[in-house]
Each structure stands twice: as structure tokens, then as C-alpha cells.
Amino acid sequence: MSFNILICDDSALARKVARRNLPDGLASEIYEASNGVDALEIMGHHRIDLVLLDLTMPILDGVGVLEEIKRRKIEVFVVVISGDIQPVMQNRVMELGALAFIEKPLKRLPLETTLKRYGFILPETMAS
């Protein structure tokens, strides 16, 4: 099974790292956005199954994106990937509907564990 994935981060390097850490065969299509406004536009034009979302971005930050997803009733799974590890922020994004919060810098194992937990990958497909 493969999914349409949106990677939203203002850092081109962080987007590249996220793309590289996605398990092989998980994505049928990968979209990228450098801010929340662009991410919402992509979600308005394409069916997106999973968003990997940074919090600190220009124009519209990750919290704003989550608020808009909720307001617009967009059906999408969101995993927040951020260096802002304050418990209050983690609680806020979970209240807004994020599935999980992964600390930057992104590493393959925490991402795969999260994707497995929510059924995006089967246990036997995880890298060792």
C-alpha cells in the first residue's frame, strides 16, 4: 500500500532528510511545501494521506496549519516533526489532531516506529 505524502518544512535540507527517511515504497507521490499556506494549497488540490509537518515556518506555522486542517475538516493524518519539544507545544498539536510528535533532527527509526504504530507500514517492512 502506498500513500500521497506531503512534507512541509521551511528548510530544504529538512525536507530532503524527511524524504530520505521515508521507507521505500511507502509513498506513491511526495509533495513538498516550504510554508503552511503552500501546504494547505497542495491539500486543496491533491488527495494527501499523510503530512510530515514542521512547526516553525514563515507565513503560516505548523499550529496554524493544524488549525486550518481542523477548521476545513480536511481528512489527513499529520505527524509533527519539530525541534520545539516543549510539552505545552506537544500537547497543543495533539489537541489539534496530530497523530504524533517526533523530535528533530529526524531519524529513520522514530519515523518508522510511528508509521508502524498507525498502520502506514507493516512490522515486517521496517528496516533493521
Side-chain angles (χ1 to χ4, degrees):
M1 187 187 286
S2 60
F3 303 93
N4 289 340
I5 298 172
L6 170 60
I7 301 169
C8 184
D9 196 305
D10 60 321
S11 164
L13 177 60
R15 292 192 308 271
K16 182 177 180 180
V17 168
R19 184 183 280 265
R20 226 181 347 195
N21 280 295
L22 288 169
D24 292 339
L26 181 69
S28 55
E29 192 73 43
I30 300 175
Y31 300 89
E32 293 187 14
S34 61
N35 64 68
V37 170
D38 291 348
L40 289 167
E41 185 174 325
I42 289 168
M43 284 185 262
H45 291 92
H46 303 279
R47 182 186 57 81
I48 302 296
D49 303 301
L50 174 66
V51 178
L52 303 181
L53 180 66
D54 185 28
L55 291 181
T56 308
M57 297 180 292
I59 306 174
L60 182 64
D61 66 10
V63 170
V65 171
L66 286 165
E67 289 170 343
E68 279 299 302
I69 287 171
K70 190 173 189 172
R71 187 182 71 74
R72 297 179 189 186
K73 297 181 171 111
I74 299 171
E75 294 185 19
V76 65
F77 294 104
V78 179
V79 173
V80 171
I81 301 170
S82 179
D84 185 351
I85 59 168
Q86 301 172 61
V88 68
M89 185 55 71
Q90 291 183 35
N91 291 337
R92 177 76 176 126
V93 300
M94 300 306 273
E95 287 169 1
L96 287 170
L99 287 179
F101 189 104
I102 300 174
E103 184 179 352
K104 276 184 176 179
L106 181 62
K107 295 192 174 43
R108 186 181 273 283
L109 185 58
L111 179 60
E112 285 186 345
T113 300
T114 299
L115 295 173
K116 176 185 169 231
R117 181 180 310 132
Y118 293 102
F120 286 94
I121 56 176
L122 301 175
E124 61 272 8
T125 62
M126 286 182 60
S128 29

